[in-house]
Amino acid sequence: MPSDRYTGLAAVLGAIRSSSDITQPMLVEQVGLGRSVVAQRVAELEAAGLVVSDGFGPSTGGRAPRRLRLNSGAGYVLGADIATNELVVGVADLSGALLDTRHREIDVVDGPDVVVALVEQLAGELVDGVGAGRSLWSFGVGMPGPVAYDDGGPAALPTMPEWTRHPTRRRLTDRFGVPVWMDNRTNLSALGERRVNPLAARSRHMVYLGGGYGIGAAVVVDGRIHRGAHGLAGAIDHLPVPGAADVACRCGRTGCLEAVAGGGALVRDGRLLAETGQSPALARVLERTGRIRPSDVTGAAGSGDAAARALLHRAATLLGRSLATLVTVFDPDLVVVGGGIARARAHVLAAIREEIYRSALPAATRDLRIEPSAFDQEIAGITGAVEFALGELFSPENLPTVLDARDRSGTVATLEEGLPA
């Protein structure tokens, strides 16, 4: 259990991190601590090099108060967003601002040895590129499935058996010498949404629809990600869909939501529409490129192709129905539609809203807002992975080790010795 001192330090640092224009009197109001306590905590953070002065705020009659800001240049963090079919790795400063990213197409079924080796390669290039060296502080990783958060490994799922047994966290810790934290990439996208979207940041209870070829949802309860006992909270991808019992899913069962409404389903059904001539637009894409991607279905719908529009509408209806279950159970004030489906928002958002309002309890939808993500979806996951790395690093539980490492060496080169591996 963190002491009151470190709880206060984390609260002060968190308030400074989340504001671009904050003074010490404003901190007193925000964190609910006395003026002398706040002054002590600010002094400690300044001594550790985490907080610096940034000019003066307006005077209210006496001496003008100092503005405070995070010393974003004191170090760097890495993030990796591992999706089913793509990988994004990024490096950021301590404010969470992305400095550079690398993107590669992958196939997660190639296994963890192949994918993690690519993560190591790209992350190493980024560290060298920005000159992070011994100024690297932590690494946040988004996984393409549920993660058992307490022990940091992927949950046991039939779709990722090799990943369940792979020491991904230990391997990356050994390679980069910093603490590594892992979570479901949909949870991290929700964290990223709360960082950049003021509406999501104000929400205390939120459901975030994410994922790419797969489908996932993140649940925010009282301002915090709700993971459940085994990291499976929000895992709607393998909920059964009535009437779809003949559709095989990659998990080995049939009739799962992902199998009928995920990105892979759009590829499968879109290709069928192209091959049978029901979608002239997709037939032209298939003839030209030899494949159909989810973005091709969206493009065809945008060009007025009736079959592509109907396909997206059906997927949106099924997604809305499953989200309605989460709305009824968790009673959020906001639903954010992100992930790959957000790129087709013009064709799916209305149908998702309609199905949620139709299927969820009326009391749960009385003042519910259902909005598209504010993100460029290509960086949603990596932004969340970086925010996750920083949030864990500066938590009351881990901040003592961070400050101790700074006291001992002026760097965080020995940080991993005291943090969970």
Side-chain angles (χ1 to χ4, degrees):
M1 178 71 67
S3 68
D4 289 343
R5 174 192 168 203
Y6 288 110
T7 300
L9 279 166
V12 170
L13 183 58
I16 294 172
R17 285 181 60 215
S18 62
S19 175
S20 59
D21 185 21
I22 196 166
T23 63
Q24 199 159 298
M26 294 167 65
L27 280 173
V28 172
E29 294 182 11
Q30 286 196 25
V31 302
L33 298 173
R35 284 182 296 177
S36 62
V37 175
V38 168
Q40 291 172 2
R41 303 299 172 253
V42 169
E44 287 184 76
L45 294 170
E46 287 182 310
L50 288 172
V51 169
V52 294
S53 294
D54 190 23
F56 293 91
S59 172
T60 58
R63 187 168 54 183
R66 290 186 303 148
R67 284 196 177 96
L68 300 167
R69 65 171 174 83
L70 182 73
N71 185 10
S72 59
Y76 303 88
V77 297
L78 286 167
D81 179 28
I82 305 173
T84 303
N85 63 330
E86 61 184 348
L87 166 68
V88 182
V89 182
V91 63
D93 64 23
L94 294 189
S95 74
L98 285 169
L99 304 176
D100 198 3
T101 60
R102 296 283 191 276
H103 179 277
R104 296 289 188 275
E105 290 189 3
I106 62 169
D107 190 338
V108 76
V109 300
D110 289 340
D113 284 328
V114 172
V115 175
V116 175
L118 184 56
V119 172
E120 291 175 325
Q121 174 193 327
L122 299 180
E125 292 174 2
L126 292 168
V127 169
D128 292 341
V130 301
R134 289 173 64 82
S135 297
L136 191 63
W137 287 45
S138 65
F139 199 157
V141 180
M143 300 292 289
V147 169
Y149 179 72
D150 288 342
D151 60 22
L157 287 177
T159 56
M160 295 174 59
E162 295 178 73
W163 286 90
T164 304
R165 298 184 293 269
H166 191 267
T168 304
R169 191 179 184 189
R170 170 52 62 188
R171 178 169 167 177
L172 293 175
T173 295
D174 291 344
R175 168 64 178 81
F176 294 101
V178 296
V180 175
W181 287 283
M182 295 167 48
D183 200 357
N184 180 350
R185 65 184 299 266
T186 305
N187 286 344
L188 300 193
S189 293
L191 285 179
E193 189 76 32
R194 287 174 63 80
R195 169 177 163 78
V196 304
N197 183 348
L199 183 63
R202 290 192 301 269
S203 171
R204 300 299 299 168
H205 306 283
M206 180 180 84
V207 168
Y208 176 93
L209 173 67
Y213 268 67
I215 294 171
V219 178
V220 174
V221 176
D222 199 25
R224 299 174 64 88
I225 296 292
H226 176 68
R227 296 179 173 90
H230 307 97
L232 295 170
I236 62 174
D237 41 350
H238 298 288
L239 290 178
V241 175
D246 58 337
V247 182
C249 180
R250 64 192 178 102
C251 74
R253 299 190 300 173
T254 59
C256 297
L257 178 64
E258 178 182 302
V260 294
L266 293 179
V267 168
R268 178 197 64 225
D269 296 343
R271 187 179 184 96
L272 180 61
L273 292 175
E275 291 174 342
T276 58
Q278 297 177 68
S279 170
L282 290 176
R284 290 191 293 270
V285 171
L286 184 61
E287 181 179 4
R288 185 175 69 252
T289 68
R291 66 175 183 173
I292 297 294
R293 299 169 300 175
S295 59
D296 296 322
V297 178
T298 301
S303 70
D305 187 278
R309 286 187 170 184
L311 178 56
L312 285 175
H313 186 273
R314 177 174 181 270
T317 299
L318 294 173
L319 290 171
R321 198 168 298 161
S322 294
L323 286 172
T325 300
L326 293 183
V327 167
T328 297
V329 171
F330 289 103
D331 190 23
D333 51 57
L334 175 67
V335 172
V336 174
V337 178
I341 199 70
R343 298 187 178 104
R345 66 184 64 180
H347 309 287
V348 302
L349 192 58
I352 289 175
R353 281 180 175 142
E354 180 181 354
E355 192 60 33
I356 290 175
Y357 289 134
R358 189 185 72 82
S359 300
L361 286 176
T365 60
R366 184 172 57 242
D367 54 3
L368 176 69
R369 295 189 63 168
I370 304 169
E371 302 292 341
S373 170
F375 251 129
D376 175 350
Q377 293 305 302
E378 290 187 0
I379 64 168
I382 191 64
T383 301
V386 164
E387 183 65 19
F388 179 52
L390 290 168
E392 292 295 315
L393 188 70
F394 296 142
S395 68
E397 293 78 13
N398 295 322
L399 191 55
T401 304
V402 174
L403 296 178
D404 182 59
R406 299 288 290 181
D407 288 342
R408 284 187 284 116
S409 64
T411 72
V412 288
T414 57
L415 189 61
E416 76 280 3
E417 296 174 4
L419 293 177

